[in-house]
Amino acid sequence: MKVYQTNEIKNISILGSSGSGKTTLAEAMLYEGGVIKRRGSVDSGNTVSDYFPVEKEYGYSVFSTVFSVEWQDRKLNFIDCPGSDDFVGGAVSALNVTDTALMVLNAQYGVEVGTINQFRYTEQFHKPVIFVVNQLDNDKADYDGTISQLRDQWGGKIVPIQYPVSTGASFNAVVDVLKMKMYRWKPEGGVPEVLDIPAEEMDKAMELHRALVESAAEHDDMLMEKFFEEGTLSEDDMRAGIRAGLVIRGMFPVFCVCAGRDMCVRRTLEFLGNVVPCTDKMPRPVTTEGVEVTPDSNGPTSLFFFKTTVEPHIGSSYFKVISGKVKAGDDLLNADRGSKERIAQLFSVAGQTRNEVSEMVAGDIGATVKLKEVRRGNTLNGKGCDYRFDFIKYPEPKFRRAVKPVNESDAEKMMEILMRMREEDPTWVIEQSKELKQTIISGQGEFHLRTLKWRIENNDKLPIEFFEPKIPYRETITKAARADYRHKKQSGGAGQFGEVHLIVEPYYEGMPAPDMYRFGGQEFKISVRDTQVVDLDWGGKLVFINSIVGGAIDARFLPAILKGIMARMEQGPLTGSYARDVRIIVYDGKMHPVDSNEISFMLAGRNAFSTAFKEAGPKILEPVYDVEVSVPADYLGDVMSDLQGRRAIIMGMNSEKGYEKLLAKVPLKEMSTYSTSLSSITGGRASFTMKFANYELVPSDVQDKLLKAYEATQAED
């Protein structure tokens, strides 16, 4: 493969819902580009894209696949992305390093929720979008319905460039209103006949042609002037106008393909080669220091690594050349880790097939192997360059499970595997929770975690089990209370003695300094001598006030009292959960000139706090999440009923072109199976996101159940 220059390189993501036919389209593109001699199929498990064992096992894409096609003196780099929301990390990574999105639609189903979700990411990253209506040979294909749905969503920006003469089993021809020709295929597909448009199609073709000309002229002042003068535009003028419209997302062209029979794939590649903007015409990436970097092959060398694979024997690191050029044998510096790396080999890839190249320039996408310390998200720079990039932000996880190996002795091995796999898919979040005493894996959905389990058990031969994780509850108080505790121990020689009197109360930001309290008819006047505010690692605060007068407790023992209280905060009196948002006033106590020591006051403080906490209207807090559900209008009632059964509070609702967006606050406890339930209720047509909001008091009946469950576990212990 020759070395392509920046103005000859185009980077394209292939997106679309599961079942839209992205992998089949990629296979047809590779075949038409001469990269492969024979097209594989998803059913046979021999496609270039879905080559990992887990993908062959389940029959759907799990990882994004990088491949390149040389077409019309251009290099088209593609990243074929998984369609399922569970594997959205691949699409997010791809959109950050590509310049255009090819959005594939299944002609049977039109615009699906996955289409809308992925389109939102193209919007977020300001990427041009081209729609491709696939599977037009299916008996249930509905091209006109699909165009109608597209226009309902994105209005006049939807501009068909082709339409099928017929759909279903008889599909074999499209009318192209840019070329103003009809393309017709033999049953085996491939190279079409290029024919004049039949008379019976001419009126429809001319109407769509005029719409395309107007849309192309709209995005370039010179073209608009020419259009007004001449009433039409040449094919080259239209290409220029379409390219301008794509860059600013002012238009979304629509193509037709039947990827399974290799029909119109060649014409789609031709359009991508001629019209899609090259990487030098797109917005520039920005470093962590806010520096905009131009993709200049003569600039300083800088590579950004957006993907790694960890499968046995085929580990690769995938990068985009952000600036300069890279050659095999170059020594580069890792801006994130400070280590030196040698690029021993450079590859242009097609799935697991690597084709060695001597050099790559700014804008190109490639792979290398045998790097020592490079991780996904790292930047490698040449001498004198200090760029660093960190522009990929992944969505919050939505599904969590506790995990442990079947054999406890494999715990360390399991963690090594998990951390290695997270390098490959950063939407897996792994936490060893000291609080819950569990290893928690969070991901995008049940399929996401099921895939991880399959890989560990089949690739690494390590049996593991999932189970529902504990909930990180918090404990707090709702009123003020007072307690004292004397710790006294005598066992010959020096003993232990410490007595602490304290008051606890709920803490909130901005509360005034304490002054006077009344308990049991007795007044306690407070004189603040010192205040410590402790920001707790688990959220909330502990405020510790010294109000000791007359030297009842020596100041050197106060840190021990605080240490004892903190120990109890880490294991709350109600359920053993962390306590938070408490103000403590130590106002009195006693000490012994010989027997008092730090351990005595630590134990006295701990027990006084525990007693007071139980008298202060203790309550359990639970984590509550902001949940946003995007659901087709006809499923809205069922989804709302399900949410309300999960103790959700509906915060708002708005319509978005055929879909309803529900905003709710839902306790984490109730979200354990939500991913699976929502898919079941809506037939997979809804999606949701969730993000931690705050802690709120649990209802009384829930608190009673939690207290009883904790008491039972304590009795067992």
Side-chain angles (χ1 to χ4, degrees), residues 361-654:
V361 306
D364 211 347
I365 289 174
T368 187
V369 294
K370 298 179 181 177
L371 297 179
K372 294 180 293 185
E373 294 188 48
V374 171
R375 305 288 183 267
R376 173 205 44 82
N378 286 178
T379 307
L380 291 189
N381 293 321
K383 190 174 181 180
C385 180
D386 60 357
Y387 295 155
R388 182 171 174 269
F389 301 95
D390 183 26
F391 43 67
I392 303 181
K393 307 299 178 190
Y394 295 98
E396 296 287 331
K398 298 181 286 191
F399 190 86
R400 55 199 295 275
R401 282 291 179 266
V403 60
K404 67 178 183 180
V406 172
N407 186 339
E408 291 290 342
S409 63
D410 288 330
E412 188 174 335
K413 181 181 177 183
M414 180 190 76
M415 282 305 301
E416 288 175 2
I417 294 168
L418 290 174
M419 298 311 292
R420 190 183 77 221
M421 291 176 69
R422 188 178 187 277
E423 284 298 324
E424 188 175 72
D425 183 350
T427 58
W428 279 319
V429 178
I430 295 135
E431 175 196 4
Q432 284 187 292
S433 175
K434 173 187 170 186
E435 174 187 1
L436 304 178
K437 298 178 178 62
Q438 292 179 320
T439 298
I440 308 294
I441 300 180
S442 302
Q444 295 299 308
E446 185 182 358
F447 284 154
H448 196 205
L449 266 67
R450 187 193 302 170
T451 301
L452 178 142
K453 187 174 189 291
W454 189 96
R455 292 180 66 200
I456 292 174
E457 293 188 333
N458 288 273
N459 296 347
D460 295 285
K461 311 301 180 186
L462 181 69
I464 61 172
E465 54 186 349
F466 285 155
F467 47 100
E468 195 165 322
K470 299 173 186 174
I471 301 297
Y473 292 108
R474 299 286 181 264
E475 298 181 14
T476 194
I477 52 178
T478 58
K479 64 180 183 179
R482 190 206 70 82
D484 56 73
Y485 188 87
R486 174 180 291 182
H487 174 74
K488 184 176 181 181
K489 187 175 182 182
Q490 196 71 42
S491 58
Q496 294 180 1
F497 182 90
E499 184 173 320
V500 174
H501 297 234
L502 54 74
I503 294 168
V504 301
E505 63 181 339
Y507 172 77
Y508 59 89
E509 289 290 341
M511 70 187 298
D515 181 28
M516 178 78 72
Y517 295 90
R518 183 185 295 274
F519 298 103
Q522 184 179 358
E523 289 186 348
F524 296 83
K525 186 168 178 58
I526 302 302
S527 177
V528 177
R529 296 169 62 86
D530 180 56
T531 301
Q532 292 185 57
V533 179
V534 180
D535 289 308
L536 302 168
D537 292 343
W538 51 88
K541 285 183 168 61
L542 165 66
V543 178
F544 183 76
I545 294 176
N546 172 13
S547 184
I548 299 291
V549 293
I553 301 176
D554 197 300
R556 64 192 171 96
F557 293 129
L558 288 171
I561 296 172
L562 177 57
K563 185 177 180 181
I565 290 168
M566 280 296 297
R568 203 67 180 109
M569 291 281 288
E570 289 189 19
Q571 191 174 10
L574 295 181
T575 61
S577 304
Y578 290 142
R580 57 176 283 169
D581 298 328
V582 179
R583 184 159 79 174
I584 298 155
I585 302 107
V586 178
Y587 67 90
D588 199 3
K590 290 180 182 177
M591 58 183 180
H592 188 279
V594 176
D595 293 346
S596 288
N597 53 28
E598 289 187 357
I599 189 70
S600 302
F601 278 100
M602 186 179 78
L603 293 170
R606 174 189 172 109
N607 287 295
F609 171 73
S610 184
T611 301
F613 193 97
K614 292 177 180 177
E615 298 296 323
K619 287 288 185 181
I620 298 171
L621 301 167
E622 63 181 343
V624 173
Y625 279 65
D626 286 325
V627 176
E628 182 180 298
V629 187
S630 181
V631 56
D634 47 340
Y635 292 106
L636 179 62
D638 292 337
V639 170
M640 284 188 68
S641 295
D642 180 70
L643 279 172
Q644 287 163 347
R646 297 173 186 273
R647 298 191 283 127
I649 298 174
I650 306 297
M651 305 300 293
M653 187 189 321
N654 54 67

Side-chain angles (χ1 to χ4, degrees), residues 278-352:
C278 290
T279 190
D280 61 330
K281 303 299 183 186
M282 298 302 294
R284 314 297 193 230
V286 177
T287 70
T288 54
E289 299 295 321
V291 177
E292 193 175 85
V293 179
T294 300
D296 179 2
S297 60
N298 295 315
T301 298
S302 187
L303 315 182
F304 177 76
F305 286 79
F306 64 92
K307 170 182 164 68
T308 60
T309 62
V310 296
E311 293 290 334
H313 314 303
I314 53 171
S316 299
S317 299
Y318 296 82
F319 61 85
K320 181 177 184 180
V321 185
I322 304 293
S323 172
K325 59 185 70 171
V326 61
K327 298 179 181 178
D330 282 356
D331 290 317
L332 304 176
L333 181 68
N334 190 323
D336 301 87
R337 306 169 75 87
S339 55
K340 290 183 178 179
E341 297 282 354
R342 170 159 290 189
I343 306 297
Q345 295 171 288
L346 287 175
F347 299 100
S348 178
V349 296
Q352 62 185 328

Side-chain angles (χ1 to χ4, degrees), residues 131-168:
F131 288 100
V132 179
V133 183
N134 190 19
Q135 302 184 40
L136 288 162
D137 61 335
N138 190 286
D139 288 339
K140 295 181 180 178
D142 183 359
Y143 174 82
D144 292 335
T146 298
I147 294 295
S148 177
Q149 290 176 21
L150 286 168
R151 285 180 170 149
D152 286 346
Q153 285 287 333
W154 296 292
K157 291 184 178 182
I158 298 298
V159 183
I161 288 183
Q162 299 172 331
Y163 70 89
V165 175
S166 64
T167 59

Side-chain angles (χ1 to χ4, degrees), residues 7-110:
N7 62 356
E8 300 172 323
I9 297 166
K10 305 190 179 194
N11 298 319
I12 302 159
S13 293
I14 304 178
L15 306 176
S17 293
S18 293
S20 59
K22 299 180 301 301
T23 299
T24 304
L25 176 60
E27 199 75 4
M29 287 176 165
L30 286 160
Y31 176 74
E32 287 291 346
V35 180
I36 57 176
K37 301 300 181 187
R38 181 182 176 191
R39 290 183 294 136
S41 72
V42 174
D43 290 340
S44 300
N46 60 352
T47 57
V48 169
S49 282
D50 294 350
Y51 62 88
F52 285 94
V54 67
E55 294 175 311
K56 294 179 180 181
E57 171 71 17
Y58 284 134
Y60 55 72
S61 298
V62 170
F63 306 103
S64 60
T65 301
V66 180
F67 67 93
S68 301
V69 172
E70 294 177 279
W71 192 267
Q72 297 174 337
D73 296 322
R74 298 284 190 272
K75 185 184 181 189
L76 307 182
N77 291 318
F78 292 95
I79 305 181
D80 178 17
C81 304
S84 169
D85 271 356
D86 282 29
F87 306 102
V88 70
V92 172
S93 293
L95 283 168
N96 274 277
V97 295
T98 55
D99 303 310
T100 302
L102 203 63
M103 184 74 73
V104 185
L105 304 173
N106 185 328
Q108 301 173 74
Y109 307 122

